[in-house]
């Protein structure tokens, strides 16, 4: 009986010893993968096809590490969504004085009761966030960034009833307007390709910056 118990004990020691060695080896390998010293067994990324992605989030994230653009690179039409006469013109003048490229003012097709709304296309995300920094946002007065299916970088700025109660831009010397301060969403957001765009307005202003782009020079032809 003592021989049988001894052999059983020896087998148990061998089994546990092998298990300990395997566990230690797995731990060392996992640590190497975590540090980036070795590649893991799963090289394919875990992604969800765009067509299968569903979310209630409609806010587009700014580009990673994006900084505010020079104001003259932001093309905007100012739209009055209130019944306050002259609101769009006054705000357009304020934006122009800061260097923004304003391409007109108009009365919005329907009333807008909230603060301000910025409509932009997929190419105008950085422009939209740059413009949004000009407004004092709060819980009760939010800047609504709305992606639509327009082409180009032109924006629509819709002024709402809440804005008309204190129709001023953020102070030009406010720290939030530091041009070295990265653009942030301040709320849950998604990359632009994962947000379903709304229909754009039927009539959109032209982009004067696109018209001003130089055409390829013919100098040197025939030499």
């Amino acid at each position: 009986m003592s021989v049988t118990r001894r052999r059983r004990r020896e087998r148990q020691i061998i089994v546990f010893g092998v298990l300990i060695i395997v566990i230690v080896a797995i731990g060392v390998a996992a640590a190497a993968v975590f540090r980036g010293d070795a590649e893991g067994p799963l090289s394919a990324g875990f992604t969800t096809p765009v067509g299968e992605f569903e979310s209630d989030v409609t806010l587009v994230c700014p580009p990673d590490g994006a900084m505010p653009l020079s104001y003259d690179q932001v093309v905007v039409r100012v739209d009055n969504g209130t019944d306050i006469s002259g609101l769009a013109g006054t705000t357009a003048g304020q934006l122009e004085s800061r260097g923004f490229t304003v391409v007109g003012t108009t009365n919005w097709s329907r009333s807008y009761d909230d603060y301000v709304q910025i409509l932009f296309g997929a190419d105008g995300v950085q422009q939209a966030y740059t413009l949004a920094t000009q407004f004092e946002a709060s819980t009760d007065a939010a800047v609504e960034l709305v992606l639509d299916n327009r082409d180009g970088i032109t924006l629509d700025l819709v002024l709402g009833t809440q804005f008309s109660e204190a129709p001023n831009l953020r102070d030009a010397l406010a720290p939030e307007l530091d041009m070295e301060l990265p653009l942030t969403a301040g709320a849950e957001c998604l990359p632009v390709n994962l947000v379903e765009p709304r229909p754009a307005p039927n009539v959109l202003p032209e982009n004067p910056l696109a018209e001003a782009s130089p055409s390829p020079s013919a100098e040197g032809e025939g030499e």
Side-chain angles (χ1 to χ4, degrees), residues 27-165:
V28 172
V33 171
F34 179 79
R35 293 194 306 268
D37 297 334
E39 294 186 1
L42 301 177
S43 57
F46 293 94
T47 59
T48 302
V50 175
E52 299 178 7
F53 184 85
E54 294 183 3
S55 174
D56 294 332
V57 176
T58 59
L59 177 62
V60 174
C61 297
D64 289 340
M67 311 295 281
L69 291 169
S70 173
Y71 293 162
D72 60 357
Q73 296 300 307
V74 179
V75 181
V76 55
R77 175 174 63 183
V78 183
D79 310 298
N80 189 352
T82 77
D83 57 2
I84 306 298
S85 178
L87 183 62
T90 301
T91 306
Q94 292 176 326
L95 290 172
E96 284 183 320
S97 69
R98 297 190 178 189
F100 286 88
T101 302
V102 178
V103 289
T105 61
T106 184
N107 289 321
W108 197 233
S109 58
R110 53 190 178 278
S111 62
Y112 183 64
D113 295 330
D114 294 330
Y115 186 52
V116 295
Q117 183 181 71
I118 299 174
L119 308 179
F120 60 96
D123 294 330
V125 178
Q126 194 170 358
Q127 286 82 357
Y129 272 94
T130 300
L131 179 60
T133 61
Q134 302 298 309
F135 298 91
E136 288 277 7
S138 66
T139 304
D140 298 325
V143 177
E144 184 182 9
L145 293 166
V146 179
L147 175 70
D148 63 25
N149 59 4
R150 71 182 63 199
D151 294 325
I153 64 169
T154 58
L155 311 174
D156 267 299
L157 170 65
V158 183
L159 307 176
T161 302
Q162 290 184 15
F163 176 77
S164 68
E165 296 171 356

Side-chain angles (χ1 to χ4, degrees), residues 5 13 23 35 104 115 170 211:
R5 286 197 298 269
I13 292 173
I23 293 172
R35 293 194 306 268
Y115 186 52
R170 173 174 272 145
E211 295 176 357

